[in-house]
Amino acid sequence: MSTQATSTPQPPLQVTIIPVTPFQQNCSLVWDTRTMRGAFIDAGGDIDQLTAAAKQHGVTIEKLLVTHGHLDHCGATAELAEKLGVPIEGPHEDDKFWIDGLEQQAKAYGFPPARSFVPDRWLKDGDTVTVGAQTFQVRHCPGHTPGHVIFYHEGVKLAFVGDVLFQGSIGRTDFPKGNLEDLLNAITTRLWPLGDEVHFVPGHGPMSTFGQERRTNPFVSDSALRARR
């Protein structure tokens, strides 16, 4: 009598997180395991490190996705898109003023020179973007910046939330056109309905789940939000 080995099916989407810039921003390399076509989400800097990661995993980059217009999230986007010959998608057009000011942002924070850009596609709530054969839902989540978007893959229950939400914290709202009430509303109406089991990659720091943050986050836990009412 013999037994036949079984293999676990490979998930349709693979992700590796690459911290970039002095701010240790989580740039995500995501790819479709069937086609090996991928994208960078929030290419903030350190281009050589990003392209080396794509080469290491055998991924062909087909586009760049951007959650919002802050320097550490998109400072290398224009240069990388030009280098790879790929389009840029995102963020929402309300972040145009941030992207237009990337050169000034870089000077202010002592970063390498950064170039502004015009995305090939501005995104809005309810849009979808594709990476290979994989589809991500787009949610507009203003508050940290007015044009911030997040990307959600329903099949693997994974969201890329930029600086909207962190493990144990939320995004700052003291930047130009930031708004705390908008941010809290975005988290509770655009993120929580996706489900407690959803894992998320924040713009900085470790991953978490929406359920964990609803239980323990001092800013947006269910108990913290009840206390604000």
Side-chain angles (χ1 to χ4, degrees), residues 6-25:
T6 59
S7 59
T8 303
Q10 189 176 31
L13 183 77
Q14 287 278 21
V15 180
T16 188
I17 299 171
I18 309 160
V20 295
T21 84
F23 292 172
Q24 290 294 281
Q25 188 273 126

Side-chain angles (χ1 to χ4, degrees), residues 90-149:
H92 186 283
E93 195 168 7
D94 284 352
D95 264 17
K96 181 179 184 298
F97 77 102
W98 277 115
I99 295 171
D100 288 345
L102 280 172
E103 183 179 352
Q104 290 72 31
Q105 289 187 59
K107 289 178 181 177
Y109 287 100
F111 273 50
R115 287 164 37 201
S116 62
F117 57 90
V118 177
D120 295 87
R121 179 188 176 200
W122 295 106
L123 298 174
K124 61 183 184 298
D125 190 67
D127 281 346
T128 59
V129 297
T130 58
V131 176
Q134 304 305 311
T135 299
F136 295 81
Q137 300 173 23
V138 176
R139 297 286 184 269
H140 180 208
C141 294
H144 178 65
T145 68
H148 201 303
V149 298

Side-chain angles (χ1 to χ4, degrees), residues 153-214:
H153 190 287
E154 186 172 19
V156 298
K157 302 294 184 184
L158 179 63
F160 300 84
V161 302
D163 286 353
V164 172
L165 181 68
F166 303 101
Q167 183 187 83
S169 190
I170 59 174
R172 290 174 56 177
T173 57
D174 58 340
F175 292 117
K177 299 188 181 181
N179 185 289
L180 177 60
E181 292 305 319
D182 285 349
L183 183 63
L184 296 178
N185 182 65
I187 291 169
T188 56
T189 66
R190 301 278 167 83
L191 299 189
W192 288 174
L194 297 176
D196 287 355
E197 71 279 13
V198 172
H199 287 77
F200 68 90
V201 178
H204 307 265
M207 293 178 62
S208 183
T209 67
F210 292 158
Q212 175 71 11
E213 300 313 302
R214 290 190 70 169

